Each structure stands twice: as structure tokens, then as C-alpha cells.
Amino acid sequence: GEQFENISAGSQSAVNSRIIDLFNQAKNHIAITNGCSTSQDAHLELRSIVGNLIPMMAVPLLRCLYYYLSIGDAERVKLYAISVLPVFSHCSPSSYLELKNDLIDHDFNEVDKEYIFFKIRSMYDCLGLSCDVVGSLLGDDFAFCDDSSMKALAGYFFRTDRSGVIEASRIDVDTRAIDIFINNGMYLFQDSEVAFAASFECYKYGHNIAVTGSNHGPLQSLATSSDRDVVPAFSAFRRYFKDDDDYADSILVDAFIGNGVFENANADERRRAIAFILRYMVTHMSIQ
């Protein structure tokens, strides 16, 4: 902590204090709700706490990664890269794969520290992190961080309202997260329904969109929003789907639970249908 905060050696950092507080919140919620059994929605509050806890737990790992990059400790750079980079995999697949190639797949020799930091810094918003939370490495300018100077998305700089651009991008991030949940779950679990159940939760309640406090709601709220009426093509889609106002949501729910036309579909067919509908039917009506 003292490498990133002006605290005395051995003192507890603000980040660690926040992490402990979130763990205590989770513990108390589980105790009060008798293991989230007091109501059908009791788990949602715990889900929100965990959603805030995971990004905060990434902060000490990021700080260690930056510190060992600064002193050129190859073994520890790889150790902390393995520990923290996967949490960004759904944020920007291209940036994650590039960082994975440089810091994990190959032995760390000489890398452009400033460039590595920039690539990681560009994904902070995806997890709801900021320069104020992560901090800057004291005594080494390569990891200097300033939120006010960050005006880029996917490598492209923009001249508009930063929060509006970032919030809209989180729709794609949640869509990508659902695809990762299903794809990984198909190989990790004998019963692929476990993966679909977790992804359905993300669709209903949000992964990045809801946790980070965006003005956008979870993907299901976008798929059922009354605001879609302003999109010129919406009425044509509604007529095509037999006057079902929530046609995209109806198809997605069936795909997630394996119902209707998806009753005999295999896991990969359901995964591809979900990805297609989220990208080209839900998003299309939400960002017009």
C-alpha cells in the first residue's frame, strides 16, 4: 500500500479497508437473510456486494503488477499478470490477448512499461475502477494515472461526454461476458445448464451494466424497454413476431432455459442464438 498511498509502512491501505468492509457486508447479509433464504430476491443484494468486491480485490494485484514491472522482476510480473489479467478478458478481448502474450505466454524481458500500463488503464472503466481507486506508483511516472486525461475507447480518442460513451460501451461488455460464461461453462461443467443459469442471471440482473451504476439497466431491461417505440424499425419487427412487444426477450428466455424451439437444440446452438440476438436485435433497438 505504501508504494501507492502516502501511508506509513505496515499501515492498512484504503483499498484493504474497503475490501474488508465489503466482506463484512457480505457476511452480515448472509447471516441476516439466513443464507439468502428469507426471500426470492435476497441473493440480489449479496450479488451486488460481490460485484463491488471483485474489482476492489483486483486493485492490490494491479498494484503489485505495476510495482514489479517498474523494478523488472520477471517472475513476479508473470505471477501477478496471471492473477489479475483474466478479470479483464471480457472487457477487450484484443487488449487482453495482447497483454497475455506479452506478460504470460512469453518470458518477460524488455517491454514498453508505459504501453502496458496504457492498455490495462484503458479497461479500468469496464470494472468500475478509476485512477483514484487504483492510485499511481510513487516514484515512477510510468504508472501515473489521471482520470481527467482519459478520453479514449478501444484505442480511439473521442471529443464528447465521457460517461455517455463509456456507459454505452458496457452493453457490449455484458454481451461478451454472457458469451464467455456459456462458452467456458460448456467445457468446465458436465451439465451445461449450470453455465446457462449463470448467464441468465447476468442477462436479468446485469454483470457490468448494473454493478457499475450505469444509467443503462441490465440487458433484459433493454430488451423490454418501452423506449424502443422511437426506433423506426421496431414496429416492423413487432409485426413480424406476431405483435410480441418483447419478441427478443421471449426468444432469449427460451434459449437460456432450453424451452420452445430450443427444447431439442444443443448447447452450442443455444449459445450462438443468444449471442446473435443480443448483438443484432437487443442492441440495435437500444442505441438507435
Side-chain angles (χ1 to χ4, degrees):
E2 61 269 17
Q3 299 292 340
F4 287 79
E5 300 177 27
N6 289 313
I7 58 176
S8 59
S11 300
Q12 184 164 275
S13 70
V15 171
N16 283 344
S17 297
R18 177 61 177 155
I19 290 172
I20 292 171
D21 178 61
L22 288 168
F23 270 117
N24 285 328
Q25 289 182 37
K27 179 187 69 175
N28 293 337
H29 181 75
I30 292 171
I32 293 170
T33 62
N34 192 25
C36 295
S37 63
T38 54
S39 72
Q40 290 184 338
D41 296 331
H43 69 290
L44 296 181
E45 176 64 25
L46 180 62
R47 192 177 189 275
S48 177
I49 295 171
V50 172
N52 288 313
L53 179 59
I54 291 174
M56 291 303 298
M57 292 182 68
V59 173
L61 299 175
L62 282 171
R63 288 180 171 184
C64 287
L65 176 61
Y66 296 151
Y67 173 71
Y68 289 115
L69 269 171
S70 72
I71 64 174
D73 189 324
E75 289 185 359
R76 286 180 171 80
V77 165
K78 178 172 286 191
L79 171 65
Y80 285 104
I82 292 171
S83 300
V84 73
L85 290 183
V87 78
F88 292 102
S89 62
H90 67 291
C91 298
S92 172
S94 59
S95 294
Y96 166 69
L97 290 174
E98 183 179 359
L99 291 166
K100 179 175 178 288
N101 179 73
D102 290 343
L103 302 180
I104 298 175
D105 294 340
H106 296 92
D107 291 335
F108 167 76
N109 292 311
E110 290 295 327
V111 296
D112 186 340
K113 296 186 297 183
E114 288 79 7
Y115 180 73
I116 293 294
F117 173 75
F118 175 79
K119 297 297 287 187
I120 299 175
R121 165 65 189 91
S122 69
M123 297 185 286
Y124 279 6
D125 283 297
C126 171
L127 294 186
L129 296 176
S130 66
C131 291
D132 286 341
V133 173
V134 179
S136 298
L137 181 61
L138 304 178
D140 195 326
D141 291 339
F142 97 91
F144 175 75
C145 196
D146 180 10
D147 288 314
S148 64
S149 65
M150 191 62 189
K151 296 276 287 183
L153 181 68
Y156 294 91
F157 287 85
F158 53 86
R159 292 186 178 90
T160 186
D161 176 56
R162 178 176 179 270
S163 62
V165 173
I166 296 300
E167 285 180 4
S169 74
R170 288 175 181 145
I171 299 174
D172 288 337
V173 173
D174 267 22
T175 299
R176 174 63 179 161
I178 287 175
D179 196 44
I180 290 174
F181 287 159
I182 298 175
N183 197 46
N184 289 351
M186 286 165 53
Y187 296 99
L188 293 175
F189 302 109
Q190 290 184 343
D191 183 3
S192 61
E193 294 306 314
V194 175
F196 283 102
S199 302
F200 195 21
E201 288 266 311
C202 180
Y203 170 67
K204 291 189 292 183
Y205 305 118
H207 179 63
N208 274 78
I209 290 175
V211 167
T212 53
S214 166
N215 289 330
H216 293 291
L219 290 172
Q220 187 174 45
S221 72
L222 299 181
T224 58
S225 171
S226 59
D227 293 339
R228 293 169 298 147
D229 282 336
V230 302
V231 181
F234 177 70
S235 59
F237 275 82
R238 179 170 50 194
R239 286 194 303 271
Y240 181 83
F241 288 100
K242 302 178 180 179
D243 293 325
D244 182 358
D245 286 345
D246 301 330
Y247 57 87
D249 179 64
S250 299
I251 300 170
L252 283 167
V253 170
D254 282 347
F256 277 118
I257 65 178
N259 195 22
V261 296
F262 297 99
E263 186 173 358
N264 296 316
N266 62 40
D268 188 60
E269 289 169 339
R270 290 163 62 191
R271 180 191 67 80
R272 287 188 284 116
I274 289 168
F276 181 89
I277 295 165
L278 287 173
R279 289 170 184 161
Y280 301 113
M281 295 175 73
V282 175
T283 305
H284 174 70
M285 294 296 172
S286 301
I287 62 175
Q288 290 288 323

